[in-house]
Every structure is written in C-alpha cells, then in structure tokens.
Amino acid sequence: MSKLARSTIGLMIVTLLAKILGFSRELVLASVYGTSAYSDAYLIALNIPVVIFATIGGALATTFIPLYFESNNIDGDTRSLKFANNVFNIVMIISIIVALLGIVFTKPLVKLFAVGFRGNTLKTAIDFTRILIPGIIFIGFSNIMTSYLQIKNNFTIPGLISVPYNIIIIISMLVSIKYGPYTMVWGTLIGMISKFLFQVPFAYRNGYKYEAHISLKDEYLRKMVWLVGPVFIGIAVNQINAMIDRTLASVLPEGSISALNYANKLNQFIMAFFITSIAAVIYPMLSKLSSENNKEKFVGTVVKSINSIIILVMPVSVGAIVLATPVVKFLFQRGAFNITATKMTSIALVFYSIGLIGYGLRDILGRVFYSLKDTKTPMINGAMAMIMNIILNLILVKFMGHAGLAFATSISALICIFLLFNSLKKKIGYFGQDKILKTTLKSLASAIVMGIITFFTYKFLIKVLGLSFITEAIALFGSVFIGALVYGILVIILKVEEVNMIIDMINRKLKRKSYIKEKSS
C-alpha cells in the first residue's frame, strides 16, 4: 500500500471517530434545543470566532506548509524551526488583538452576522458571542500546531483533536438542561482550548521547541505575507458565503438557521470523512513534489486525489438527495426536533447535496494551487463564485426560502470548480483531464442507477415492514446497503481505474497473508 493510501486511510479512521462525536454533538443540540431561538443564537455565536480567525489562521496555516518545506530544504531544521516559532508568535499577537476587538464590538458584530435577530434572541446571541470570542486565540494556535504535525507526517493527532472538543461540548449541553444554556457556551469555550492543548505534547515529540522569537525581517515571513493575502481572501470567501446564508436566514421564519446548520452538518460529515482526509494528506505531499519540481508524480497525485473524491462523493450526493427525509427523521426527529423541523432540514439537505461534489473538488483544487505557491487563482475564482452565490441567494430566497440559500451555495460551488479546472489547465497544461472526465461520467452514471434502485428499495421495504422507528431504520439501512452494493458493482463493471487499484491492493494483501500462513505452517 502506498504512503498516500496508508496516511489517508489512517486519517479517515480517526476522522470517522471524531466526526461521529461531532455529529452526536449536533444530535444532542437538536434534541435539547431543536430549531429554537437558543439554538439559532448559539450557532451564530459559535460561527463568529470561526469565521473571524479560522479565516486568518487557515490562511496562515495554508501558506506556512510550502514555505516550511522551502526553508527546510535550503537552510535545514534549525532555520525552519525558527521560522515556525516566528509564525506562531505573530499569530499569538494577532489573535489576542482580534479577540479584544471582538469583545469590545460584540453587538455590531452579532448584528452583522444576524441582521434579523431582535429582542431576547439578539441579547442571547450577544452574551453567547462575548463568552466564545476568546476562543479565537486558541483557534489560531491550533491551526499552526496542526500544520506543523502534518509537515512531520503526523496526520492522526490533528484528526483526533475534535474528540476531546466534542466530548466536552456534549457533556456541557447535557448539563445545560439543568443549569441553563450558558453552561453549554462555557463548555464550548473549554472545548476550543482543548484542541490546542491536545496537540502540544505531540508537536514536542516531533521536534517542536518553543522560542520567544519574532522577526519581521525574516525572508520566509515576507514571502508568507505576500502569499497570505490572496489565501485569506480565498478562505474568507467561503466564510462570507456562510455568513450571508445565515444573515438572510435570520430574516426567515424561526428555525431556518438551525435547519440549514443541521443539513450542512450532514454534508460536512461526508466532507470531513472523505474529502478533508484526502486533502490533509496530499497537501504536504504536493508541496514537497512542487518544491522538488517533480511534475510527473505531481500530476499523478492530483489525478488520484480528484478521482478518489469523485468516486466516493458522487454516490453519497445522489443518496442524500433520494433519502433526505428518512435520514433526517432517523437522525434528528426526537425531543424538541419535531416534524416541521424534519421537513425544513430535509429540504435544505437535498439542495446542499446537489453541490457536494463541488465542495469537495474545490477543496482539493485549492490545495493544488497553494502547493504551486499560486494563491491568487483560487482567490479570484472563489470571489467570482461568491458574487454568483450572493446574486443567486437574493433571487432564490424569495421563491424557495431557506432551501434557496442551500441551492445557491451548491450552484456557486459547481461553478467554482469549472473555473478552477480551466485555470489549472492554463497553469500547468495537462493534469489528467481525460482520466478525470472518464471517471466522472462513469461514477455519475453508476450513481444515478444506484439512486433509482435505492429509492424504490426504500419504498418497497417501508410498504412491507410498515411505519415504526425500528422498521424505518431497517428500511433505511437496507436500502443504503443495496444502493452501495449496486454502485460498487457498476463501477467495477465500468472499469473505473481507481476502483481496480483498490481491488488489486486488497488481493495483494490477502495473497501476502495467505503466503505468511503457509510459510508458518
């Protein structure tokens, strides 16, 4: 098994654990607060520090990786560690300043993110935000530690940081039933801090040593500043899109923000399990291959990564559209989450799922450009997609309500990947376009057939088994299993290259085990 495959599968396993806990957190929130004013206020308050500093921290972390490799290749370990500490200390200063400004200007900040909030909902959101704003500092620290560990080929620990984070929040949500919703918010702040603290000992084991060093004259820092602006804008585009969605949703009926959030979390679960895992592993590899000017391996890695995303995400996208209502009902409909909430969330899930392949490929293609030290192209294409998203938001929200916001996000994501593919062709010429197109068409055809069979299988099972929680669960999982089986058979029949590679890899491992057993006997 290749190093890329081993690292990706390992990260997928730990990500699955972390995301199951993250999804459990959403289930607990839905059960305790449903689609209420408290859940809307909490989600806005939680989103603000993420938008503010995840954008800054994400931009710094993205440009940090290729420049660390450049520094290490040219000047060695001591110099690259000095560069890492320089970045860490500058992030510390920036994040403290941003947090203090956030505490002072909390009210206008909340109004910017939720223009439709009034009265008690607005007051609650302001109080919640004021508690969570200091979390900005630890989001910044955590981003740098994650990048450092990924550089050192340690993907497991960054993948696990959400485990203590989600456990702490889940406990605080359950405790808040007795002691009030503010308990949940304080628990969330502690969870943010835990993400950074969890990584520190492992960073030290991988050679990190903290030094109180700041130098604005560092040549690699200057390069980073030159690169970070476009990356910041590119990442901010995604956050602005989310902010605009929530802002427009805040003027819609109560619970619209929560419905969009729960639907989006379902898609993010898939994104994190497949897409984020692959993207996290390939980015340091692409950065290294780019710095070594190894174009053949670079293109090969790009093709494998893109096709892997297409093969994995295409059936999930179609499946989520077909089974949106039963999935939402099974996962969320209990406690304060009623039938109305299920309808609102499932319709949002359908329209978010249309663009699932777009979200995934946008993430991968962005990293391809960043590894080439081209930060402007993703920024320009992302800005164009953002403008399209805003226009579509304003049009579709009038006719489709919160579902229109989800649909606009999907359309803009699909437009963005077409723009990025075109830009990549201009940038490096051939990048395996023919192979990617073949895989896309084969996967799409297989997924459509799978979707039709899955839909009728679910309807048949429900008709035979009847309506109850257990029988609906059997029907849901049964139809998902049949659908997955159909898709797997079809992509094998159609000879999708990456699938054949996986089968060959499994056969080699089975033959190796068989050989070892024969030898030992």
Side-chain angles (χ1 to χ4, degrees), residues 429-440:
Y430 178 76
F431 59 88
Q433 297 95 312
D434 53 336
K435 294 178 181 178
I436 293 167
L437 181 60
K438 283 180 185 177
T439 299
T440 302

Side-chain angles (χ1 to χ4, degrees), residues 144-210:
I144 299 300
M145 287 294 103
T146 294
S147 296
Y148 182 82
L149 287 167
Q150 288 174 347
I151 285 166
K152 298 298 180 180
N153 290 319
N154 187 332
F155 300 98
T156 305
I157 299 306
L160 283 171
I161 60 173
S162 291
V163 172
Y165 170 76
N166 286 315
I167 289 172
I168 291 166
I169 295 176
I170 288 169
I171 292 169
S172 67
M173 283 177 177
L174 295 171
V175 172
S176 75
I177 297 171
K178 183 177 181 180
Y179 295 102
Y182 285 86
T183 310
M184 168 179 67
V185 185
W186 283 108
T188 303
L189 177 61
I190 295 168
M192 288 178 175
I193 296 168
S194 74
K195 278 190 171 185
F196 166 64
L197 296 178
F198 183 77
Q199 295 183 92
V200 171
F202 298 98
Y204 270 83
R205 282 186 197 175
N206 282 271
Y208 180 74
K209 291 180 182 177
Y210 177 74

Side-chain angles (χ1 to χ4, degrees), residues 324-342:
T325 300
V327 166
V328 172
K329 187 177 180 182
F330 173 74
L331 291 172
F332 292 110
Q333 193 172 305
R334 61 187 60 85
F337 200 98
N338 55 25
I339 295 172
T340 302
T342 296

Side-chain angles (χ1 to χ4, degrees), residues 49 88 91 145 207 210 284 432 441 472 494 502:
F88 183 87
V91 167
M145 287 294 103
Y210 177 74
L441 293 174
E472 285 183 359
L494 293 174
I502 293 167

Side-chain angles (χ1 to χ4, degrees), residues 253-441:
E254 186 179 288
S256 295
I257 292 174
S258 298
L260 287 169
N261 173 72
Y262 296 134
N264 199 29
K265 289 296 180 185
L266 278 166
N267 276 336
Q268 283 181 4
F269 181 87
I270 304 302
M271 288 272 290
F273 182 53
F274 295 123
I275 300 161
T276 308
S277 299
I278 293 171
V281 172
I282 69 151
Y283 183 44
M285 290 184 179
L286 288 173
S287 297
K288 193 165 187 270
L289 291 169
S290 178
S291 67
E292 294 169 354
N293 203 25
N294 192 336
K295 187 177 179 181
E296 186 179 346
K297 284 188 177 180
F298 183 90
V299 169
T301 304
V302 170
V303 172
K304 284 180 184 177
S305 303
I306 290 173
N307 283 349
S308 297
I309 294 295
I310 292 167
I311 292 166
L312 293 168
V313 175
M314 194 74 80
V316 177
S317 178
V318 173
I321 293 168
V322 170
L323 297 174
T325 300
V327 166
V328 172
K329 187 177 180 182
F330 173 74
L331 291 172
F332 292 110
Q333 193 172 305
R334 61 187 60 85
F337 200 98
N338 55 25
I339 295 172
T340 302
T342 296
K343 288 178 181 177
M344 289 178 72
T345 304
S346 58
I347 192 68
L349 177 60
V350 168
F351 287 102
Y352 270 136
S353 297
I354 291 169
L356 193 58
I357 195 75
Y359 314 144
L361 292 180
R362 183 177 61 190
D363 217 24
I364 295 293
L365 289 169
R367 279 168 169 77
V368 171
F369 281 102
Y370 295 150
S371 67
L372 293 166
K373 297 189 182 74
D374 179 358
T375 57
K376 289 182 180 178
T377 300
M379 175 196 73
I380 293 167
N381 291 336
M384 290 169 68
M386 181 192 73
I387 293 166
M388 180 63 69
N389 183 57
I390 293 169
I391 294 168
L392 289 170
N393 267 337
L394 295 171
I395 295 169
L396 295 176
V397 74
K398 293 179 181 179
F399 303 100
M400 301 169 65
H402 73 290
L405 300 176
F407 193 27
T409 301
S410 290
I411 295 171
S412 64
L414 292 170
I415 290 169
C416 188
I417 61 163
F418 283 113
L419 294 172
L420 286 169
F421 272 129
N422 186 54
S423 297
L424 187 59
K425 183 182 177 182
K426 291 178 181 177
K427 181 81 177 176
I428 63 173
Y430 178 76
F431 59 88
Q433 297 95 312
D434 53 336
K435 294 178 181 178
I436 293 167
L437 181 60
K438 283 180 185 177
T439 299
T440 302
L441 293 174

Side-chain angles (χ1 to χ4, degrees), residues 78-134:
T78 304
R79 179 69 181 83
S80 56
L81 181 59
K82 200 167 188 178
F83 168 63
N85 275 308
N86 197 18
V87 173
F88 183 87
N89 290 319
I90 289 169
V91 167
M92 184 192 304
I93 293 167
I94 293 171
S95 58
I96 290 170
I97 293 169
V98 172
L100 290 172
L101 288 171
I103 291 169
V104 173
F105 298 105
T106 309
K107 188 173 181 178
L109 201 57
V110 171
K111 284 187 173 182
L112 176 66
F113 279 74
V115 293
F117 280 6
R118 299 285 185 274
N120 191 55
T121 305
L122 177 61
K123 182 183 179 300
T124 303
I126 291 168
D127 291 344
F128 284 2
T129 303
R130 198 160 274 139
I131 294 169
L132 291 179
I133 279 289

